[in-house]
Amino acid sequence: MPDEHRFEEKLLSQEVERRISKNLDEVEQIEIDIQTDLLKIVQGQADGVSVTGEGLVIQKDIRVQEIKLQTDAFTINPLSAIFGEIKLDRPVNAIAKMTLTQADLNRALSSEFIDNQMRNLNLDVDGEIVSFEPQEIQVYLPGAGKIEFRGKILLKEMGKTRPLAFTAIARPRKDSQPAMLESFKCTEGAGVSIELITALMHKAKDLMSIPYFKWDDIIFRIEDLEVETGNLILLIEAQVNQIPSSDVLPL
């Protein structure tokens, strides 16, 4: 932190760093800068918080290569703040830039958290419910704004279950250009019907059209997404209702 920062600002920032680092499974580097002073702390005010970190791991399998976050001004519980714990009196807005590597994404896809979210996904195919259960999904980031998926799933339709393997290349939404499925190819199994592909594309469109997501005490939306060779960069706008305490972290 810059030397000109006030002593109390440094002290509070370092204590919050210690608390958060203690509850991360792994952390290569984290720096938290709480922009305030003693008078503002007593009044329950802060001008903002900035967070920079590298190699942060939560729940063993959710890893972020790099994060940069800045909040707006906010009000806090002054008594808790004096002891290094930030408790918000009202929600605060934040902007974050997160970088995930290809390895980070595949590590997350194999996690129990993601596995629970993806089990038994259902599609309405001309009035018939078709479900599929992912067995193995791998993501590749070849560059040129593309994301490649390779996977194996169990497809359940018409009372029967059969395995299916596929590769797909997609382009995420960018500026005024909508998200696009560039190619889809079955590599194992008897293939899929055009109706099923259409239903799958509608499902993907609905998911990408969700205005916001909720993760514990954080409501966020992905404002922009950039794909580089080996990296996925997310620009996120969030409303933070509460900063995790020393006992609780998201996920």
Side-chain angles (χ1 to χ4, degrees):
M1 297 180 186
D3 292 336
E4 63 268 20
H5 281 197
R6 299 178 179 86
F7 173 75
E8 61 269 19
E9 188 177 33
K10 282 185 177 182
L11 195 62
L12 179 55
S13 298
Q14 289 170 358
E15 176 60 17
V16 174
E17 279 179 25
R18 186 191 68 79
R19 285 171 175 262
I20 298 238
S21 297
K22 184 179 178 181
N23 286 276
L24 291 168
D25 292 319
E26 298 175 30
V27 56
E28 293 176 14
Q29 182 270 333
I30 187 170
E31 183 172 314
I32 297 174
D33 179 11
I34 300 175
Q35 295 118 33
T36 188
D37 58 37
L38 184 57
L39 178 59
K40 288 180 179 179
I41 291 175
V42 173
Q43 295 174 337
Q45 298 175 354
D47 295 326
V49 173
S50 65
V51 179
T52 60
E54 295 179 6
L56 309 182
V57 179
I58 303 171
Q59 292 287 306
K60 298 182 180 180
D61 291 314
I62 309 298
R63 182 183 185 277
V64 176
Q65 173 64 26
E66 184 179 7
I67 183 170
K68 295 180 180 180
L69 179 146
Q70 176 66 51
T71 75
D72 291 342
F74 57 92
T75 59
I76 56 178
N77 183 304
L79 183 59
S80 298
I82 290 173
F83 293 97
E85 187 171 357
I86 303 300
K87 290 187 177 181
L88 302 178
D89 288 342
R90 62 185 181 187
V92 60
N93 296 320
I95 296 177
K97 182 179 181 181
M98 298 174 60
T99 300
L100 292 88
T101 66
Q102 179 176 292
D104 292 338
L105 291 170
N106 287 311
R107 180 175 176 174
L109 284 172
S110 65
S111 69
E112 182 178 353
F113 173 76
I114 297 297
D115 183 63
N116 290 336
Q117 305 303 310
M118 296 180 67
R119 282 187 179 277
N120 296 317
L121 298 174
N122 296 324
L123 297 174
D124 186 339
V125 182
D126 291 342
E128 179 187 349
I129 299 300
V130 176
S131 65
F132 58 95
E133 182 177 335
Q135 299 293 294
E136 179 183 342
I137 305 290
Q138 290 284 309
V139 174
Y140 299 87
L141 304 174
K146 299 179 181 181
I147 302 178
E148 181 179 351
F149 300 90
R150 300 178 192 174
K152 295 181 179 180
I153 62 174
L154 288 179
L155 189 63
K156 303 175 184 179
E157 57 181 340
M158 301 179 67
K160 297 180 179 180
T161 301
R162 61 185 177 94
L164 182 74
F166 69 92
T167 62
I169 297 177
R171 288 181 178 272
R173 173 177 59 85
K174 185 68 176 177
D175 299 325
S176 60
Q177 179 181 316
M180 300 181 68
L181 180 65
E182 192 169 285
S183 67
F184 184 92
K185 180 181 179 181
C186 293
T187 56
E188 293 180 27
V192 294
S193 66
I194 293 177
E195 291 78 10
L196 178 56
I197 290 293
T198 302
L200 184 59
M201 292 176 68
H202 280 299
K203 182 71 170 180
K205 182 180 179 181
D206 290 342
L207 291 173
M208 287 185 289
S209 298
I210 295 174
Y212 64 87
F213 302 90
K214 190 174 188 301
W215 186 18
D216 274 15
D217 287 317
I218 302 174
I219 298 173
F220 68 94
R221 64 176 180 176
I222 299 173
E223 199 55 29
D224 193 21
L225 187 153
E226 185 175 346
V227 184
E228 298 179 345
T229 303
N231 289 322
L232 183 67
I233 301 172
L234 305 172
L235 183 63
I236 296 171
E237 289 187 355
Q239 182 184 81
V240 181
N241 294 312
Q242 198 56 253
I243 294 176
S245 69
S246 57
D247 300 316
V248 180
L249 280 175
L251 293 177

